[in-house]
């Protein structure tokens, strides 16, 4: 469950990064559709956070420790919304680049989460 | 059709809007501190912010739970976190002093990455665990080594723009 969700979130994050990268390439700021995309990715990370906590509550142990696991879950949940707000403050192509970078960071966090959970 | 419809509604171009707009553009530039987070600066703040969270949380966890395991590595991560934090704060705050301070810190950061990166390669036994700056930041997509260079470039460029204005 968690692994499937991790893969899905990583893919969604990379798609978001590509999409916002494309907007930046065309010299456009983030628009409503991009924010909907960010919302979708954020919902995925929220579901992941809940599933992760439920798994912990049921007594399963992440391979590399519970503290690190939870902090990565929280970090990946916060990642895209923060980048989104920064792109609201920067209404140029650089706002789009920021969100694209946020997507890449989230994908990296997902890879780490996979390792921390232990496959 | 819409163009002709809009014209009478607008009653010729609003004189109020035309008068205020040039002032609005010029005023904040003179009064405010030099803004460092416009354009590419925003991306820098974001990446530095990520590095702050990464380095600080990592070192807090490691120092509080297993400091004896690799004291040098964990202390260096903490130092890196503080440096990143200061640069992020300077970029957000803006102003001439912050710009200079941030430049010095970027230089310190670059030196840190290069020294620690080389150190981890030459003498791996000193580092039983990784730091943020191990192997030139390979675990962080080399962001630690790219960021200070782009940071210094950006800070220099924003200074030149200010001189030109």
């Amino acid at each position: 469950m968690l692994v499937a969700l991790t893969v899905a979130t990583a893919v969604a994050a990379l798609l978001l990064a590509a999409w916002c990268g494309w907007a930046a390439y065309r010299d456009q700021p983030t628009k409503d559709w991009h924010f909907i995309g960010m919302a979708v990715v954020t919902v995925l990370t929220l579901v992941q956070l809940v599933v992760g906590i439920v798994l912990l509550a049921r007594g399963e142990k992440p391979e590399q420790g519970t503290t690190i696991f939870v902090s990565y879950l929280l970090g990946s949940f916060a990642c895209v919304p923060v980048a989104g707000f920064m792109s609201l403050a920067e209404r140029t192509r650089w706002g789009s680049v920021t969100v694209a970078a946020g997507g890449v960071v989230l994908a990296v966090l997902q890879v780490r989460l996979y390792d921390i959970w232990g496959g | 059709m819409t163009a002709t419809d809009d014209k009478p509604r607008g009653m010729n171009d609003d004189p109020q809007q035309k008068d205020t707009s040039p002032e609005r553009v010029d005023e904040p530039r003179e009064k405010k501190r030099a803004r460092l987070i416009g354009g590419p600066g925003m991306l820098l703040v974001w990446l530095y912010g990520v590095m702050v969270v990464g380095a600080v949380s990592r070192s807090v966890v490691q120092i509080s739970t297993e400091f004896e395991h690799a004291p040098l590595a964990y202390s260096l991560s903490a130092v890196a976190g503080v440096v990143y934090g200061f640069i992020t704060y300077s970029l957000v705050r803006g102003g001439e002093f912050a710009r200079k301070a941030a430049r010095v810190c970027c230089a310190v950061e670059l030196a840190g990455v290069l020294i620690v990166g080389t150190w981890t390669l030459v003498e791996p036994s000193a580092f039983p665990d990784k730091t943020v700056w191990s192997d030139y930041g390979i675990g962080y997509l080399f962001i630690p080594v790219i960021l200070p260079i782009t940071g210094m470039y950006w800070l220099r460029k924003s200074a030149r723009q200010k001189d030109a204005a």
Side-chain angles (χ1 to χ4, degrees):
Chain A
M1 178 64 188
L2 190 76
V3 172
L5 208 48
T6 306
V7 174
T9 312
V11 171
L14 286 178
L15 286 176
L16 180 73
W19 190 18
C20 291
W22 172 242
Y25 174 73
R26 298 205 303 170
D27 203 5
Q28 288 177 344
T30 47
K31 294 181 179 157
D32 287 356
W33 283 106
H34 296 113
F35 284 99
I36 292 170
M38 288 178 230
V40 170
V41 175
T42 306
V43 166
L44 278 174
T45 57
L46 183 62
V47 172
Q48 192 180 36
L49 177 64
V50 172
V51 169
I53 290 172
V54 168
L55 286 177
L56 289 179
R58 281 160 74 189
E60 296 197 45
K61 286 262 179 294
E63 207 169 78
Q64 297 181 23
T66 306
T67 319
I68 297 174
F69 180 65
V70 172
S71 32
Y72 267 86
L73 281 176
L74 288 174
S76 56
F77 171 59
C79 178
V80 166
V82 172
F85 277 115
M86 291 176 78
S87 83
L88 274 181
E90 176 64 42
R91 303 303 299 152
T92 65
R93 71 190 310 175
W94 293 102
S96 305
V97 177
T98 305
V99 178
V104 174
V105 169
L106 180 56
V108 172
L109 287 177
Q110 295 301 315
V111 173
R112 287 285 295 130
L113 261 176
Y114 181 83
D115 289 341
I116 292 164
W117 184 252
Chain B
M1 281 297 270
T2 45
T4 47
D5 283 344
D6 281 346
K7 256 188 186 170
R9 267 176 96 205
M11 269 304 170
N12 297 335
D13 16 320
D14 226 324
Q16 280 185 330
Q17 270 192 346
K18 261 200 168 173
D19 285 347
T20 48
S21 58
E23 275 176 24
R24 264 191 191 165
V25 174
D26 289 339
E27 234 179 287
R29 268 197 198 155
E30 287 171 9
K31 284 184 181 171
K32 261 191 188 171
R33 297 195 190 100
R35 245 171 74 86
L36 295 176
I37 54 171
M42 189 56 102
L43 178 64
L44 275 182
V45 171
W46 166 238
L47 290 176
Y48 268 114
V50 170
M51 290 312 293
V52 172
V53 174
V56 170
S57 53
R58 181 195 182 114
S59 58
V60 165
V61 168
Q62 290 178 329
I63 287 175
S64 58
T65 57
E66 40 174 17
F67 185 64
E68 290 74 23
H69 179 53
L72 180 62
Y74 300 155
S75 308
L76 280 171
S77 283
V79 170
V82 172
V83 173
Y84 288 132
F86 182 80
I87 298 174
T88 312
Y89 168 75
S90 302
L91 284 170
V92 172
R93 186 174 174 274
E96 192 53 20
F97 179 75
R99 197 183 62 75
K100 279 179 184 152
R103 264 187 84 183
V104 172
C105 278
C106 283
V108 170
E109 186 200 336
L110 183 60
V113 182
L114 294 178
I115 293 169
V116 174
T118 311
W119 194 356
T120 48
L121 289 178
V122 172
E123 207 186 333
S125 57
F127 295 87
D129 200 352
K130 292 211 157 190
T131 77
V132 179
W133 288 343
S134 283
D135 304 343
Y136 307 111
I138 196 169
Y140 291 80
L141 304 174
F142 290 111
I143 288 176
V145 83
I146 300 166
L147 213 48
I149 298 171
T150 47
M152 282 192 284
Y153 173 74
W154 166 246
L155 291 166
R156 254 188 84 183
K157 201 173 152 227
S158 54
R160 257 188 268 131
Q161 280 174 347
K162 214 187 125 211
D163 289 342

